[in-house]
Amino acid sequence: MKLNNIKVYLSAAAFALAVGTTSCVGDLDVDPINPQQTMTLDQDALLNKIYASFCLTGQTGPSGNGDVPGDEGQSEFYRMSWYMNEFTTDEAHWVWISDAGVPDLLHNNYGASNAFSSGLYYRLYFTITLCNFFLEQTTDDDPETAMQRAEVRYIRAYNYYYIMDLYGNAAFMTTVSSELAPRYERKQFFEFVESELLEIEPLLANPGQNTYGRADKAAAWMLLSRLYLNAEVYTGTAQWQNALTYAEKVINNGYYKLNTTGATNPSTGEKYSAYQMLFLADNNETSAKYEAILPVLNDGVTTSSYGGMNFLILSTYSAGMDADIPSGTDCSWGKCTRVRGTLLDKFFSGEAPQTNSIAEMTTAAQDDRALFYGAGYTHRIADETDANAGFGCVKFRNVRSDGQPNQVINFVNTDLFLMRVAEAYLTYAEASTRINGTNADASEKVNALRTRANATTKNLYDLNDICDEWSREFWFEGRRRMDLIRYGRYAGQAEYKWEWMGGQANGAQFGSHMSIYALPVADLANNSNLVQNPGY
């Protein structure tokens, strides 16, 4: 990537916020126009901007001054990555299939011009550039700045992890420069992310000792365990023992833990399971917060956007659903995000019940995680144009378990847990099973999650069981593609199918090259060091 191609997307307002000046500056590598004006770094503001890159899209709220080009409402990091990791798999479908870029994902037919693939690419590099700038402008002279720098390096590594996972081969840069960035291959990205996380681990706060919402050692361990779990995909060499080791460090961290406490709403009488508590508006105030390794803070007033948890709640609800199971908002999007039947099959051996009751649904599934809405909807999506095809999702809500009202109801207050402790349990279980075969130690970790969900347990789980358990525990949380690829159930195969896979109602194979996405055409044109991924 040629950096001066990306820096035009870093608005003058964004840069002014970061460096504490009102000068009309649009580039990161120019001096102030006014020779009497001094550029000074507003370090805390820039740090806030870097963390906010996980949920915000611009400088003026949900729309009006976006960080990257395109539809600002859809340009948020999590929303674009969610599209690419869920719509392409066996879990999620979209009602308005004529929306630009969406059918390509739904039908596994995406190319170099896909709006969401290109948009996320630029969003990730936007944040990487902010991180590089912060690191260039600060030093480790004082303990607080040293910790901030470690956190920024963590966020940069996190973004490069997504570059590696989604695009494989891409631009790499650790400084702010107008020079053409060199091309890194997947293994090089892996080695960089690994080395960064290992270097900063001792510099980060101990688990739970940083401000809520900021990265600490447990966040580094969790990302390392995820990196090693997928090492064979990224490098060709498996690292199951390292995945197990770092997952165990998360499990035994001494602060973060699985939430096992539910609640009863004193105003409505509604009962919330321990699992539901993770996805309610006061999840930052209840015991649910101890499961959040890396939460993205959402506040309906100060962090309003059309992405993140706001997108998850509003897009999964219709007005009819809201009347039966309140979402806590007043502007549902007509259940445009719906559940594929293949996901329901993970919970039900036959047709799922067409009920509007969470209690009836979870009882029928014998699993508290079956947070689906079935009244008036069909189990399968036989006709993509039928808005009543596909169940609704009531997993994510903007209601408080304590019955208190939210301050706003058009943007949500529910925090988004980018990584949570439950991931470590399944990583441990899978890695242990791949090393030792089916075994009791690994199965205990699966049973910890199933017990929390009031689901039936058994003595031993094999790899197929664990693959399905990844879906049951983390459905609609934006990671399914990764798991299917690791299990060989994604591109280039036809043994495992879901409806509309490959654009066919009953599922069809699509090209193996689509396990990674294409680089944007514009970036190839601007940086002669880059090479398009094979097949595109």
Side-chain angles (χ1 to χ4, degrees):
M1 167 180 288
K2 190 175 181 180
L3 187 57
N4 63 5
N5 180 50
I6 193 172
K7 69 189 177 184
V8 299
Y9 304 144
L10 183 59
S11 66
F15 188 61
L17 172 66
V19 299
T21 177
T22 58
S23 175
C24 183
V25 179
D27 293 345
L28 278 176
D29 57 352
V30 298
D31 296 322
I33 296 172
N34 183 347
Q36 296 181 324
Q37 183 177 38
T38 302
M39 301 277 281
T40 58
L41 176 71
D42 187 334
Q43 186 170 314
D44 290 338
L46 182 54
L47 182 69
N48 288 339
K49 175 67 179 177
I50 289 169
Y51 269 104
S53 68
F54 283 126
C55 65
L56 297 183
T57 56
Q59 303 304 312
T60 58
S63 61
N65 190 6
D67 294 326
V68 297
D71 182 339
E72 185 179 343
Q74 297 187 93
S75 71
E76 186 257 359
F77 156 78
Y78 189 77
R79 182 172 177 179
M80 288 190 290
S81 65
W82 194 97
Y83 276 24
M84 294 165 68
N85 285 302
E86 292 286 352
F87 283 152
T88 59
T89 74
D90 56 353
E91 293 190 348
H93 206 280
W94 187 254
V95 168
W96 302 315
I97 61 169
S98 62
D99 284 6
V102 175
D104 302 345
L105 302 177
L106 296 176
H107 299 157
N108 310 102
N109 190 34
Y110 37 85
S113 60
N114 181 268
F116 302 106
S117 175
S118 297
L120 182 59
Y121 183 90
Y122 289 119
R123 167 64 65 187
L124 292 169
Y125 279 109
F126 172 84
T127 302
I128 288 167
T129 301
L130 290 179
C131 293
N132 288 341
F133 182 70
F134 184 97
L135 295 169
E136 286 186 338
Q137 298 298 314
T138 58
T139 63
D140 291 331
D141 290 343
D142 65 88
E144 176 59 27
T145 298
M147 183 176 293
Q148 288 182 0
R149 285 172 53 81
E151 293 173 46
V152 169
R153 288 174 68 184
Y154 174 84
I155 294 173
R156 182 175 64 181
Y158 189 95
N159 278 264
Y160 269 128
Y161 175 88
Y162 270 77
I163 293 288
M164 173 190 63
D165 178 69
L166 293 166
Y167 306 99
N169 133 76
F172 177 77
M173 51 196 181
T174 56
T175 61
V176 178
S177 170
S178 60
E179 298 299 316
L180 293 178
R183 170 180 177 257
Y184 259 37
E185 296 182 350
R186 218 174 201 184
K187 186 177 181 180
Q188 291 172 290
F189 280 122
F190 182 97
E191 292 169 349
F192 171 78
V193 173
E194 178 187 32
S195 64
E196 279 289 277
L197 294 174
L198 292 174
E199 280 186 27
I200 65 173
E201 177 193 355
L203 306 175
L204 293 167
N206 289 325
Q209 299 306 300
N210 207 344
T211 304
Y212 174 80
R214 288 172 62 178
D216 59 19
K217 284 184 173 67
W221 299 336
M222 184 70 90
L223 188 54
L224 278 165
S225 71
R226 184 184 294 184
L227 181 75
Y228 291 132
L229 184 67
N230 294 282
E232 190 170 20
V233 174
Y234 301 143
T235 70
T237 302
Q239 296 200 40
W240 307 121
Q241 184 58 54
N242 282 336
L244 187 154
T245 297
Y246 279 95
E248 188 172 30
K249 288 173 76 72
V250 174
I251 293 169
N252 298 326
N253 75 88
Y255 179 83
Y256 299 106
K257 58 188 177 181
L258 290 179
N259 179 54
T260 57
T261 304
T264 299
N265 190 313
S267 299
T268 66
E270 183 178 5
K271 296 182 182 299
Y272 307 112
S273 68
Y275 186 74
Q276 282 181 280
M277 297 290 286
L278 301 172
F279 312 106
L280 299 181
D282 55 352
N283 59 357
N284 64 318
E285 301 173 30
T286 67
S287 57
K289 69 182 180 181
Y290 297 109
E291 187 160 335
I293 298 291
L294 186 64
V296 176
L297 279 56
N298 280 270
D299 180 278
V301 174
T302 60
T303 61
S304 56
S305 81
Y306 295 112
M309 187 60 79
N310 202 72
F311 151 74
L312 278 178
I313 295 174
L314 271 60
S315 74
T316 54
Y317 262 86
S318 69
M321 291 169 58
D322 198 283
D324 295 326
I325 304 172
S327 68
T329 72
D330 66 352
C331 53
S332 64
W333 296 352
K335 200 201 77 169
C336 50
T337 298
R338 49 185 164 170
V339 175
R340 279 179 158 151
T342 326
L343 173 56
L344 296 178
D345 293 340
K346 301 292 187 294
F347 291 90
F348 302 96
S349 58
E351 291 291 308
Q354 292 182 302
T355 179
N356 62 356
S357 164
I358 287 179
E360 291 177 3
M361 185 68 73
T362 55
T363 298
Q366 296 184 300
D367 195 319
D368 289 345
R369 300 169 296 186
L371 297 172
F372 307 113
Y373 183 101
Y377 301 138
T378 62
H379 185 113
R380 305 281 172 200
I381 305 174
D383 180 355
E384 289 183 291
T385 64
D386 182 0
N388 293 322
F391 274 30
C393 161
V394 288
K395 179 173 177 174
F396 312 100
R397 300 169 66 186
N398 191 43
V399 298
R400 294 178 59 92
S401 64
D402 61 7
Q404 296 298 310
N406 283 308
Q407 55 185 327
V408 292
I409 54 176
N410 53 340
F411 290 99
V412 308
N413 299 306
T414 309
D415 287 351
L416 172 67
F417 295 172
L418 275 182
M419 295 192 296
R420 52 189 182 87
V421 172
E423 178 180 340
Y425 280 73
L426 287 179
T427 296
Y428 183 105
E430 182 181 333
S432 175
T433 303
R434 290 188 184 274
I435 295 169
N436 304 308
T438 302
N439 67 88
D441 182 35
S443 298
E444 285 178 3
K445 301 300 187 292
V446 178
N447 279 335
L449 300 183
R450 293 187 63 80
T451 298
R452 191 257 294 271
N454 290 304
T456 57
T457 61
K458 59 183 184 179
N459 292 331
L460 295 173
Y461 298 88
D462 61 22
L463 284 173
N464 288 330
D465 295 327
I466 294 171
C467 184
D468 287 345
E469 205 63 31
W470 277 112
S471 186
R472 294 187 193 101
E473 179 67 28
F474 286 99
W475 67 275
F476 272 36
E477 293 186 49
R479 64 166 292 138
R480 184 57 172 165
R481 169 187 154 276
M482 175 202 315
D483 298 326
L484 289 178
I485 290 173
R486 192 172 63 255
Y487 273 85
R489 297 181 181 180
Y490 190 67
Q493 59 82 38
E495 292 183 9
Y496 181 75
K497 295 181 180 178
W498 55 88
E499 67 253 59
W500 298 105
M501 169 186 172
Q504 299 296 318
N506 294 323
Q509 181 173 330
F510 57 97
S512 60
H513 69 282
M514 303 186 82
S515 287
I516 56 176
Y517 286 87
L519 302 186
V521 173
D523 221 45
L524 290 169
N526 284 312
N527 188 346
S528 58
N529 291 331
L530 298 183
V531 177
Q532 184 60 279
N533 287 320
Y536 290 104

